[in-house]
């Protein structure tokens, strides 16, 4: 199986976290997101363990909640001792409503509005990561008006190519995120931030990209950032105590994927930090790391009902389901690959090749093309695997399709953590 939390029971049904997906689909309807709480918790603990064992606990894992933001997720990561990375007023609001302490929140965004900055300042968000000089000035003013000193980090583009999809690469110079090292912009930002009377510059941040399968880009990011931090100490006499290396560890979407485990990634990153600090005679910084996908991605599946099968001779066979790009836009956006199976025939061989089509009025509304699948029939339950990250969080109501319910499974028991959207919800704001 793709992830260890998936099993097949005596009836030949796919189970996640001990719960029969066919029963869940029957009871709750489809499309349906199902998340496995134990796996999410295990992933949180795995990250924290490496920081504890290899770095004396001098760090904080902040779950990047853009991967999946809902109140229950913040409660879970909070109870595991993690902080959270939020990237909008909406994510910040959700985290605070879930009871997360503002101090453990890192606020991101390359185009934050004044309302978002005011909210972050007034609620006492622990660190705000500044992306550009106009934002820095506005934040300084907002902090001054609130009579507060705000801890900030600066988002730096370290100029690293992380070998991932163009749309999820962020660390290179041609990117809308952050300050470039090569042009002197980053140095200018450090100087500007240290002169802001209401801001306390605590460190630097970078994020090189997402779904990164190897360890080396993370080590390289650490080296580049520390070299720059040492340069700032030497040239501007600013010694920054914190380094935030963003997120990005990849997960297994298909059987061919072979990502490095996150413990390996963090270990390699920490080793690079230690070596660089020794070489540069720089104090080892407090480390922040913001994994999103690798905490929730493998912990989720999406269940659909097969509505029809359409074979176009010598061309392809479509299996049409009751969801699609509305609940998982990743194929439409990035041609992302997934594994799928007929949940009620999970013990049978996947000996057909099909294209899974969604219900939207859009030819590109596919879950994937040429995917191996058991012989599908109308009424079957189709499971798409590893959909825990960037599926619900990017879901939309195109064609006025309500967004699905989400279940959290723990030790075989399921509970609803996001209710299914209703037609009434959809017209709620229509006048
Ligand atoms: N920190 C920052 C500043 C980020 O921009 C991101 C992701 C993360 C952390 C978390 O990265 P992760 O560990 O999840 O790779 N929608 C795309 C992914 C976009 C990621 C954007 N930033 C997808 O579905 O693949």
């Amino acid at each position: 199986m793709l992830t260890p939390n998936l099993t097949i029971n005596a009836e030949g049904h796919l189970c996640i976290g001990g719960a029969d997906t066919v029963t869940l689909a029957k009871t709750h309807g489809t499309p349906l997101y199902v998340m496995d709480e134990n796996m999410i918790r295990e992933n949180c603990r795995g990250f924290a363990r490496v920081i504890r064992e290899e770095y004396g606990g001098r760090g904080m894992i902040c779950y990047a909640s853009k991967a999946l933001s809902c109140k229950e997720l913040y409660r879970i990561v909070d109870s595991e001792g993690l902080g959270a990375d939020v990237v909008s007023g909406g994510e910040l609001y959700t985290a605070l409503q879930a009871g997360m302490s503002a101090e453990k929140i890192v606020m991101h965004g390359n185009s934050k509005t004044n309302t978002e900055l005011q909210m972050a300042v007034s609620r006492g968000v622990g660190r705000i990561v500044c992306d550009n000089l106009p934002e820095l000035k506005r934040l300084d003013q907002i902090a001054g008006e609130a009579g507060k000193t705000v801890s900030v980090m600066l988002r730096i583009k370290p100029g690293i190519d992380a070998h991932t999809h163009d749309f999820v690469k962020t660390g290179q110079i041609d990117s809308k995120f952050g300050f470039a090292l090569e042009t002197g912009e980053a140095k200018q930002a450090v100087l500007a931030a240290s002169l802001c009377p209401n801001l306390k510059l605590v460190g630097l941040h970078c994020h090189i990209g997402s779904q990164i399968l190897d360890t080396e880009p993370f080590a390289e990011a650490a080296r580049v950032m520390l070299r720059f931090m040492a340069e700032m100490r030497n040239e501007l006499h600013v010694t920054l105590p914190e380094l935030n290396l963003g997120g990005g560890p990849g997960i297994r979407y298909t059987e061919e994927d072979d990502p490095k485990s996150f413990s390996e990634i963090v270990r390699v990153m920490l080793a690079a930090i230690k070596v660089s600090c020794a070489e540069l005679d720089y104090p080892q910084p407090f480390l922040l790391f913001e994994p999103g996908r690798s905490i929730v991605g493998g912990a989720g599946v999406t269940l659909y009902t097969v509505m029809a099968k359409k074979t176009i001779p010598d061309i392809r066979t479509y299996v049409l389901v009751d969801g699609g790009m509305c609940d998982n836009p990743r194929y439409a956006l990035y041609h992302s690959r997934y594994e799928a199976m007929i949940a009620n025939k999970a013990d049978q061989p996947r000996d057909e090749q099909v294209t899974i089509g969604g219900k939207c009025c859009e030819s590109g509304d596919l879950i994937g093309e040429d995917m191996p699948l058991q012989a599908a029939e109308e009424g079957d339950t189709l499971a798409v695997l590893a959909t825990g990250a960037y599926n619900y969080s990017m879901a939309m109501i195109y064609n006025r399709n309500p967004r699905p319910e989400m279940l959290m499974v723990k030790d075989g028991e399921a509970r609803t953590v996001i209710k299914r959207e209703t037609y009434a919800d959809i017209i709620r704001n229509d006048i």
Side-chain angles (χ1 to χ4, degrees):
M1 291 298 239
L2 193 72
T3 50
N5 58 338
L6 299 177
T7 50
I8 299 173
N9 67 13
E11 287 160 279
H13 293 178
L14 175 71
C15 296
I16 177 167
D20 182 326
T21 57
V22 181
T23 309
L24 295 179
K26 289 232 153 53
T27 322
H28 294 265
T30 55
L32 182 67
Y33 298 113
V34 188
M35 300 295 301
D36 176 359
E37 180 171 344
N38 286 345
M39 188 170 183
I40 297 171
R41 289 187 180 275
E42 260 313 298
N43 291 340
C44 293
R45 284 171 204 170
F47 272 112
R49 196 177 304 130
V50 195
I51 302 277
R52 204 170 48 242
E53 288 171 3
E54 316 258 327
Y55 205 57
R58 284 166 298 131
M60 176 162 74
I61 302 292
C62 293
Y63 164 62
S65 58
K66 70 206 75 180
L68 171 54
S69 174
C70 68
K71 285 166 71 177
E72 188 67 355
L73 240 294
Y74 292 108
R75 290 185 200 113
I76 292 173
V77 298
D78 190 23
S79 73
E80 291 296 336
L82 273 65
D85 145 0
V86 301
V87 72
S88 67
E91 286 183 0
L92 174 58
Y93 179 79
T94 313
L96 294 172
Q97 286 292 313
M100 189 146 214
S101 129
E103 183 50 40
K104 293 203 309 184
I105 295 178
V106 177
M107 175 87 175
H108 279 283
N110 69 295
S111 198
K112 302 177 196 75
T113 64
N114 283 2
T115 312
E116 288 173 321
L117 291 174
Q118 275 152 358
M119 183 176 170
V121 169
S122 70
R123 300 301 299 262
V125 160
R127 295 163 183 84
I128 299 181
V129 181
C130 275
D131 179 272
N132 52 70
L133 287 177
E135 179 193 303
L136 200 63
K137 264 176 71 183
R138 284 188 288 130
L139 180 59
D140 188 34
Q141 193 183 339
I142 288 168
E145 282 161 10
K148 293 194 174 187
T149 302
V150 171
S151 293
V152 297
M153 306 190 93
L154 298 174
R155 179 160 182 167
I156 307 294
K157 301 186 229 193
I160 289 170
D161 186 346
H163 303 292
T164 186
H165 191 288
D166 276 353
F167 287 3
V168 296
K169 272 184 195 170
T170 48
Q172 74 286 9
I173 186 164
D174 183 7
S175 159
K176 68 169 181 169
F177 300 102
F179 299 98
L181 279 183
E182 297 92 325
T183 58
E185 193 188 14
K187 180 177 171 186
Q188 196 195 346
V190 171
L191 189 59
S194 10
L195 295 175
C196 287
N198 307 304
L199 304 183
K200 182 175 170 214
L201 180 61
V202 295
L204 301 181
H205 167 276
C206 74
H207 170 77
I208 53 177
S210 199
Q211 183 59 10
I212 299 169
L213 300 172
D214 213 349
T215 51
E216 183 47 31
F218 293 99
E220 185 56 14
R223 288 192 282 267
V224 169
M225 293 297 283
L226 280 161
R227 260 201 311 271
F228 179 63
M229 284 162 87
E231 219 176 287
M232 293 305 94
R233 174 199 54 193
N234 299 344
E235 293 178 19
L236 304 179
H237 308 290
V238 176
T239 302
L240 298 172
E242 297 190 358
L243 173 60
N244 183 338
L245 287 175
I251 62 161
R252 212 161 166 236
Y253 280 109
T254 69
E255 276 149 20
E256 287 107 69
D257 291 340
D258 186 21
K260 289 286 185 322
S261 74
F262 51 67
S263 34
E264 237 174 306
I265 288 173
V266 182
R267 226 166 252 136
V268 167
M269 206 160 74
L270 290 174
I273 292 177
K274 288 178 191 168
V275 170
S276 289
C277 285
E279 280 171 8
L280 299 161
D281 192 23
Y282 198 86
Q284 287 180 9
F286 183 84
L287 177 71
L288 291 106
F289 195 49
E290 305 167 335
R293 190 192 309 270
S294 47
I295 289 188
V296 289
V301 299
T302 308
L303 305 177
Y304 303 96
T305 300
V306 173
M307 307 309 300
K309 188 171 171 179
K310 200 176 269 184
T311 299
I312 309 171
D314 304 324
I315 300 185
R316 65 174 71 238
T317 295
Y318 283 99
V319 170
L320 303 179
V321 297
D322 56 352
M325 68 186 284
C326 278
D327 56 79
N328 180 0
R330 297 191 70 255
Y331 186 80
L333 282 171
Y334 322 115
H335 274 202
S336 304
R337 295 181 60 218
Y338 284 96
E339 298 283 350
M341 59 171 70
I342 299 294
N344 49 302
K345 298 172 184 166
D347 56 348
Q348 295 176 24
R350 293 190 301 170
D351 49 14
E352 297 200 353
Q353 269 232 333
V354 303
T355 290
I356 300 174
K359 75 192 296 291
C360 279
C361 195
E362 189 93 15
S363 300
D365 172 18
L366 305 173
I367 296 291
E369 292 178 80
D370 304 323
M371 300 166 80
L373 195 68
Q374 292 89 352
E377 291 163 284
E378 182 187 353
D380 279 347
T381 302
L382 178 96
V384 179
L385 313 183
T387 57
Y390 302 111
N391 274 231
Y392 170 76
S393 64
M394 296 204 298
M396 56 186 156
I397 58 162
Y398 181 44
N399 292 172
R400 295 235 142 174
N401 284 308
R403 284 178 297 173
E405 176 175 357
M406 181 177 289
L407 301 179
M408 188 67 68
V409 166
K410 189 168 167 53
D411 304 326
E413 294 296 319
R415 63 184 191 280
T416 301
V417 292
I418 303 175
K419 291 194 278 187
R420 187 175 298 282
E421 227 165 30
T422 62
Y423 293 135
D425 289 332
I426 285 180
I427 62 160
R428 196 180 45 211
N429 296 322
D430 292 9
I431 307 295

